[in-house]
Amino acid sequence: MTVIATTQPRAALTEEARAELTALLGDRFTTSLPVREHHGKDESYHTPFPPDGVAFANSTEEVSAIVRICATHKLPIIPFGTGTSLEGGIAALAGGITIDLSGMQQILRVSPEDLDVTVQAGVTRKQLNEHLRDTGLFFPIDPGANASLGGMTATRASGTNAVRYGTMRENVLGLTVVLADGRVIKTGGRARKSAAGYDLTRLFVGSEGTLGIITEVTLKLYGIPEAISSAVCAFQSIKGAVDTVIQTIQVGVPVARIELLDEVQIDAVNKYSKLDYAVAPTLFFEFHGTEAGVKEQAEMVAAIAEEHGGMEFAWATRPEDRSKLWQARHDAYYAALALRPGSKGWPTDVCVPISRLADCILETKQDLAESDMLAPMVGHVGDGNFHLVYVLDPENPAELAEAQRLADKMVSRALAMGGTCTGEHGIGYGKMAFLEQEAGEAYNVMGDLKRAFDPENRLNPGKVVRV
């Protein structure tokens, strides 16, 4: 596998620094090896790098104080939410201190009349929606994992609902951020639009902890739809499934979710979640709106699917049935790993303009057909984003090399089609070379921004850009 390490020298955790952090946090600062190892490993195949210590913060003020101590002692700082990232974004490549924000779980304010909420960074998406349940509102961004909202903001997460509700980029109104020197700033606000100054909020959304540590987030909320209906439809070919998606988007059907599972992935889902869907390329749909609107949307999509070789729709309208369907989709990664017990997953994703989606998927599937690599495919295809999980033995150099070859080829293809090297996984340290290829001269400007915000390169060093 490719490992891109930072050139930053590893700073030692001195006894003085340890004493200051302990005085601030008590037993919420630890150098226990199991805790450190847990905080240096995400859900990906990437080599883990544990920090030298872990600080569990409960407030913005504590994060600021921790950062100031680390600044004094020249220690790198790595923010940590729930550890569900996929490109090595939480690995402590230069050692230092991980700041665990999972204890920051206060929902600070809900304004139903304005459809917004402010939360601490450690609040998870499921926790927020449970809190909102009796208000008639919900937060729609759903990356699958029960990730923290601070982490979702830092990685510009999206997920299954993005085709209708957008990504974190469109749904974050304002932030509280701790900078590299410990200063606390607030960006954006609760107004739905502003022409006041630089858009610092969008700068921090997706910065992966390299420019500042997000401690509070103000988010848009939405009314829970009057009617929700989900459906599953198998297709004779993957081209028919993708063409159905493209036509659905082009004619303007406001579908909430369109998820593609290829025949390999649907077989894995059947086995893992004990379902009995046809083993064929399959689309999962969800429709939101009024009763009449949902019925109209479903009829339009069913007609489009029939034109492209879609089989009969299997409907799920009861909440428990919809939950079972979407839980099976969210468990696709673990279902893929279960096809080969003892394996590890190498997940990767790309995103292309919707008009090139069929070409990109079909050419990628052809590459897989010519390889012995097991790699189920899933996709948030309503916005041109799809994923592969290479299921492999991480101790087998030949398999790692083949996965790298196929992943490189897929990304190069997406870039040639006007797409991006990652639709939602982020850069971490796994896709830095691809970002440089994609961004061109803008990559150097990103480096300039990094140096301006973090001149000593202590905030999550070795991620996103090389400085």
Side-chain angles (χ1 to χ4, degrees):
M1 73 187 70
T2 302
V3 175
I4 304 172
T6 176
T7 56
Q8 171 113 346
R10 191 179 184 99
L13 175 61
T14 64
E15 286 302 320
E16 184 180 1
R18 186 195 307 262
E20 291 180 26
L21 289 165
T22 301
L24 175 68
L25 301 171
D27 60 7
R28 288 188 288 120
F29 175 71
T30 180
T31 57
S32 163
L33 181 59
V35 176
R36 289 165 46 218
E37 288 180 337
H38 170 71
H39 285 79
K41 177 76 175 77
D42 62 12
E43 290 284 341
S44 74
Y45 73 96
H46 292 294
T47 302
F49 290 84
D52 298 315
V54 179
F56 293 85
N58 288 337
S59 67
T60 296
E61 292 73 23
E62 283 191 344
V63 173
S64 174
I66 294 165
V67 169
R68 290 180 188 279
I69 291 171
C70 291
T72 298
H73 297 280
K74 310 297 183 184
L75 292 169
I77 304 161
I78 307 94
F80 182 98
T82 60
T84 56
S85 58
L86 293 170
E87 289 295 348
I90 60 173
L93 300 178
I97 303 300
T98 289
I99 302 181
D100 186 316
L101 304 167
S102 62
M104 297 179 61
Q105 294 199 340
Q106 292 185 48
I107 296 171
L108 301 171
R109 178 195 53 79
V110 179
S111 297
E113 64 278 11
D114 292 315
L115 298 176
D116 66 29
V117 62
T118 299
V119 301
Q120 287 187 314
V123 174
T124 67
R125 64 175 186 85
K126 288 185 179 180
Q127 178 189 349
L128 175 58
N129 280 325
E130 179 65 24
H131 183 86
L132 295 171
R133 185 174 58 181
D134 296 331
T135 68
L137 304 174
F138 81 120
F139 181 68
I141 309 305
D142 179 4
N146 187 25
S148 69
L149 292 163
M152 289 170 60
T153 302
T155 56
R156 200 157 58 231
S158 54
T160 57
N161 279 321
V163 63
R164 176 159 182 159
Y165 297 100
T167 72
M168 291 299 287
R169 179 183 64 189
E170 290 78 37
N171 286 282
V172 174
L173 295 170
L175 299 170
T176 300
V177 182
V178 178
L179 301 180
D181 58 6
R183 283 181 296 162
V184 177
I185 65 169
K186 293 186 179 294
T187 74
R190 295 179 55 206
R192 289 304 172 105
K193 65 179 183 179
S194 172
Y198 298 139
D199 191 348
L200 294 179
T201 301
R202 298 296 168 273
L203 183 60
F204 286 107
V205 175
S207 63
E208 301 185 33
T210 62
L211 301 180
I213 301 172
I214 295 167
T215 60
E216 294 177 8
V217 188
T218 297
L219 300 162
K220 295 180 184 178
L221 299 177
Y222 297 80
I224 296 174
E226 173 190 325
I228 301 175
S229 185
S230 298
V232 177
C233 182
F235 286 78
Q236 298 172 11
S237 69
I238 199 162
K239 184 178 188 303
V242 176
D243 286 345
T244 295
V245 172
I246 294 172
Q247 189 172 344
T248 296
I249 299 302
Q250 288 176 340
V251 300
V253 180
V255 62
R257 311 193 210 200
I258 311 180
E259 297 289 297
L260 171 68
L261 290 76
D262 74 354
E263 67 282 359
V264 183
Q265 184 67 72
I266 202 71
D267 182 49
V269 164
N270 279 344
K271 292 172 180 175
Y272 186 81
S273 299
K274 297 179 173 55
L275 299 171
D276 59 356
Y277 296 128
V279 179
T282 300
L283 292 178
F284 286 15
F285 297 94
E286 187 163 278
F287 307 95
H288 293 180
T290 63
E291 294 283 355
V294 165
K295 183 174 184 294
E296 181 182 21
Q297 293 171 40
E299 289 174 350
M300 291 176 66
V301 174
I304 294 170
E306 185 177 5
E307 291 178 10
H308 295 288
M311 303 175 197
E312 187 176 356
F313 273 44
W315 291 98
T317 54
R318 298 187 306 169
E320 58 268 33
D321 293 335
R322 294 200 311 271
S323 178
K324 184 177 181 181
L325 185 157
W326 291 109
Q327 188 60 51
R329 165 61 186 90
H330 289 328
D331 288 341
Y333 177 70
Y334 304 105
L337 298 184
L339 290 173
R340 186 179 178 185
S343 64
K344 296 292 184 181
W346 179 330
T348 190
D349 80 316
V350 295
C351 189
V352 295
I354 194 75
S355 63
R356 300 306 308 273
L357 181 61
D359 293 336
C360 197
I361 287 179
L362 291 171
E363 290 178 29
T364 300
K365 288 285 288 183
Q366 183 60 38
D367 288 344
L368 294 174
E370 295 170 359
S371 170
D372 293 330
M373 185 64 63
L374 175 63
M377 177 183 289
V378 300
H380 311 311
V381 285
D383 47 21
N385 180 208
F386 69 94
H387 310 245
L388 289 182
V389 178
Y390 300 103
V391 182
L392 47 77
D393 174 4
E395 304 303 320
N396 185 323
E399 289 190 19
L400 290 168
E402 178 66 354
Q404 186 74 66
R405 183 186 74 83
L406 291 169
D408 289 356
K409 191 172 183 181
M410 184 174 89
V411 171
S412 295
R413 176 181 297 119
L415 295 181
M417 292 180 174
T420 177
C421 66
T422 175
E424 60 184 16
H425 288 184
I427 298 298
Y429 75 86
K431 284 192 170 178
M432 290 173 67
F434 293 130
L435 176 62
E436 189 170 7
Q437 179 184 347
E438 176 179 334
E441 183 60 31
Y443 185 85
N444 295 324
V445 176
M446 293 180 197
D448 293 341
L449 284 169
K450 168 67 171 172
R451 283 182 284 271
F453 277 85
D454 181 20
E456 295 182 348
N457 191 24
R458 290 185 302 98
L459 292 176
N460 214 4
K463 316 293 172 54
V464 185
V465 292
R466 299 186 188 92
V467 295

